[in-house]
Amino acid sequence: MSPEPQSQRNFILGNVLLALAAVAIFFFGPLWEHFGIGALMGWMVLAALGVYLVTRDRDTPGGP
């Protein structure tokens, strides 16, 4: 059974958002200086949306 195109698109978009969140961690010092608490909030939103999209379509019928 092949994954649906929308499911595949959500998975890829989720991974892109998680990659952006990972890159943001490397530049968190300058981001904090420019945006303050907004940098932390932005990072949390990126990470949460990424995890949500990656795990969104993981329901497998006939599971345990």
Side-chain angles (χ1 to χ4, degrees), residues 8-49:
Q8 186 72 15
R9 194 173 305 127
N10 287 339
F11 184 75
I12 291 170
L13 182 60
N15 280 321
V16 168
L17 290 176
L18 287 173
L20 287 173
V23 169
I25 289 293
F26 288 114
F27 301 104
F28 201 73
L31 287 173
W32 182 267
E33 290 175 4
H34 290 291
F35 300 111
I37 195 73
L40 178 63
M41 294 298 174
W43 178 81
M44 288 192 306
V45 167
L46 276 176
L49 281 174

Side-chain angles (χ1 to χ4, degrees), residues 6-7 10 50-59:
Q6 182 66 27
S7 171
N10 287 339
V51 169
Y52 172 74
L53 288 173
V54 166
T55 61
R56 181 176 177 181
D57 297 321
R58 292 294 172 202
D59 293 334

